[in-house]
Amino acid sequence: MASGLVVLTLMLTTNSKTVGIALLALAVIPLGDMSNVLASGGRKATAFSIHGMTCLVMLFAGLLLIHAF
């Protein structure tokens, strides 16, 4: 929840490049979650479909916002 509030606050107060940089930095959170699920013996399908896809979407959105594409 805190990550979403950070992004929302940045969206309301700064430019899109700053929001993109924050999204790129915050993308490590779902990557860490995915690693924890895999390390604890959780289902690979769950780890990759939920946390892995969240990480990819955050990276893609962050790159779009900083105009890397």
Side-chain angles (χ1 to χ4, degrees):
M1 246 171 96
S3 301
L5 290 174
V6 167
V7 173
L8 180 62
T9 302
L10 289 173
M11 287 173 62
L12 295 172
T13 60
T14 64
N15 58 20
S16 63
K17 188 172 184 174
T18 304
V19 177
I21 291 169
L23 273 176
L24 292 176
L26 292 170
V28 298
I29 295 170
L31 183 64
D33 291 343
M34 182 181 72
S35 300
N36 283 335
V37 170
L38 293 172
S40 67
R43 292 183 43 208
K44 289 182 182 179
T46 302
F48 290 117
S49 66
I50 296 172
H51 303 295
M53 285 303 293
T54 301
C55 181
L56 288 177
V57 168
M58 289 177 72
L59 290 172
F60 183 71
L63 290 172
L64 282 177
L65 286 168
I66 64 169
H67 308 294
F69 290 118

